Amino acid sequence: MSTQISVNGPSPYDVHIGHSLNDDIAEFAKDTGAAQVGIVYQPPVAPAAREIGAALEERGLTVTFLDVPDAEASKQLDVVGGLWDRLGEQGFSRRDLIVGVGGGATTDLAGFVAATWMRGIKVIQVPTTLLAMVDAAVGGKTGINTAAGKNLVGSFHEPAAVFIDIDRLSTLPASEIIAGSAEIVKTGFIHDPVIIERYLDDPRACLEPTGLLPELIERSVQVKATVVGQDLKESGLRETLNYGHTFGHAIELVEDYTWRHGNAVAVGMMFIANLAHQRGLIDEELVETHRKILESINLPTTYEVGHFDKLYAAMTRDKKNRDGNIRFVALTDIGETTRIAGPSMDELRAAYAAISAN
Ligand code: GLY
């Protein structure tokens, strides 16, 4: 049994959310008409990849296990080249299929390989981290990193389907659930006030795979589906998913990517909430709502004092900037967004002062 959330756009697809979905994945794969399936996965999720592979083989599909290095180390051109070689050796054709099993790095990589092999073959995404479930695996962004930065090479390639198996949450470390929750909180602030109510009412249950977390995943995926269904290529609405990310990306860069993405986004949301408050866009109470929710689920809300220049330099490199202006998604209320483009140095310094701590 699974819930399905439809994602519209040039190639509509469904996100299936439920329990024990391996057979559903295999049935779906068989129905695509593929003869061969390449499963892209990283070592920590080898057992999950094997189980999905076995379900595919039971249905007569030929499976190639494509193991790649762990985390962001996999999103490199030489890894992609190795995968293209393997697909070539196995004779993967245009009707064959890739399945990406893992966190956001794996689903980005698997999507990119599928997007580029024979100018695009189908990919099924099977996210195994909370962050990938509510963000990376849905929406068709694929990409790899280069020496100049993260995700600078990629394409929009919508998956044929996404399968979110709630059972996988039970094996995730608490720190992963907390970091992934930052993206859920983000979708609440930008588009779904009920998400915010849930965190205010019972933050502990919001982190529980047997509590409110499945409902929050559904709500968050629904927000993402609605947004990317209207704006796949980020010409307007999709930019709202970047709430908290301008300053968050700057922290990640300054910290040389040792910070968890969700933790950086949490501080980024505090930064932009303060900037918006200083501009009179939101009241003090909404800034406090940010702090209260993020602290209640153990996400960071401050950043070390004394690093403004480095953070500013990193923000000026954000690839979402336009016309040389640093650009932020900001709130005017819960569920209501606007943009702040080219804020003054004084404004940026004041927002940093409000969130910096020794
Ligand atoms: N992670 C933001 C987006 O998919 O647009």
Side-chain angles (χ1 to χ4, degrees):
M1 264 290 288
S2 64
T3 302
Q4 276 153 46
I5 295 175
S6 302
V7 186
N8 292 322
S11 305
Y13 57 96
D14 288 332
V15 181
H16 306 252
I17 306 175
H19 297 268
S20 306
L21 297 180
N22 290 348
D23 287 330
D24 302 66
I25 297 168
E27 283 298 325
F28 184 93
K30 189 170 158 44
D31 289 347
T32 66
Q36 296 207 64
V37 183
I39 302 183
V40 178
Y41 69 99
Q42 295 175 338
V45 296
R50 300 265 162 222
E51 282 167 25
I52 294 167
L56 292 164
E57 281 168 347
E58 272 172 30
R59 285 160 182 83
L61 292 155
T62 303
V63 177
T64 303
F65 289 96
L66 302 165
D67 58 310
V68 294
D70 209 358
E72 289 290 314
S74 67
K75 289 175 61 176
Q76 304 295 340
L77 187 56
D78 59 340
V79 175
V80 174
L83 293 174
W84 286 332
D85 288 344
R86 296 281 305 281
L87 297 181
E89 283 156 22
Q90 300 297 325
F92 267 67
S93 74
R94 206 164 256 167
R95 74 182 178 132
D96 290 327
L97 177 71
I98 297 291
V99 177
V101 182
T106 310
T107 58
D108 281 3
L109 173 71
F112 184 68
V113 168
T116 48
W117 184 252
M118 299 213 164
R119 299 195 180 87
I121 64 172
K122 289 193 176 71
V123 60
I124 296 175
Q125 300 289 22
V126 185
T128 58
T129 64
L130 182 57
L131 192 80
M133 290 176 185
V134 297
D135 193 18
V138 181
K141 279 189 181 176
T142 76
I144 57 170
N145 304 331
T146 70
K150 283 178 78 176
N151 296 323
L152 291 180
V153 176
S155 73
F156 290 98
H157 184 64
E158 292 156 289
V162 180
F163 288 86
I164 296 177
D165 197 328
I166 296 295
D167 295 340
R168 303 206 187 284
L169 295 170
S170 59
T171 54
L172 286 182
S175 55
E176 289 243 357
I177 302 256
I178 290 168
S181 296
E183 294 284 2
I184 302 180
V185 173
K186 174 203 79 179
T187 52
F189 277 126
I190 58 174
H191 288 296
D192 184 356
V194 175
I195 291 181
I196 299 306
E197 279 169 30
R198 295 283 185 271
Y199 281 100
L200 289 172
D201 286 351
D202 195 346
R204 190 180 289 261
C206 289
L207 297 175
E208 281 299 328
T210 53
L212 294 176
L213 189 53
E215 182 204 332
L216 291 168
I217 292 171
E218 271 182 42
R219 287 191 165 276
S220 198
V221 169
Q222 183 61 64
V223 168
K224 183 135 193 197
T226 304
V227 169
V228 301
Q230 289 173 52
D231 180 24
L232 175 69
K233 298 208 168 162
E234 202 162 328
S235 49
L237 185 64
R238 188 166 184 159
E239 192 186 21
T240 59
L241 298 173
N242 217 32
Y243 187 60
H245 283 57
T246 311
F247 193 78
H249 283 153
I251 292 177
E252 287 186 282
L253 194 63
V254 167
E255 295 287 340
D256 207 12
Y257 297 100
T258 55
W259 268 49
R260 286 178 186 277
H261 176 68
N263 292 15
V265 168
V267 180
M269 286 192 276
M270 286 307 302
F271 179 89
I272 188 56
N274 277 285
L275 187 58
H277 174 51
Q278 286 156 16
R279 279 211 168 187
L281 294 172
I282 60 172
D283 56 20
E284 177 71 31
E285 197 185 333
L286 185 45
V287 180
E288 280 315 304
T289 301
H290 282 68
R291 188 187 321 280
K292 189 173 171 199
I293 289 179
L294 297 171
E295 284 181 355
S296 73
I297 55 172
N298 285 326
L299 279 163
T301 54
T302 59
Y303 189 70
E304 217 174 297
V305 75
H307 299 293
F308 179 79
D309 291 347
K310 279 192 286 185
L311 290 161
Y312 177 75
M315 281 192 282
T316 61
R317 285 178 52 189
D318 195 285
K319 65 177 185 291
K320 317 262 165 154
N321 293 342
R322 286 193 209 160
D323 306 324
N325 284 326
I326 302 176
R327 205 174 149 82
F328 295 89
V329 174
L331 298 185
T332 52
D333 201 348
I334 297 174
E336 306 285 337
T337 51
T338 186
R339 309 289 186 274
I340 296 177
S344 71
M345 284 294 244
D346 284 349
E347 284 180 288
L348 294 170
R349 279 188 196 282
Y352 178 56
I355 59 109
S356 55
N358 284 307

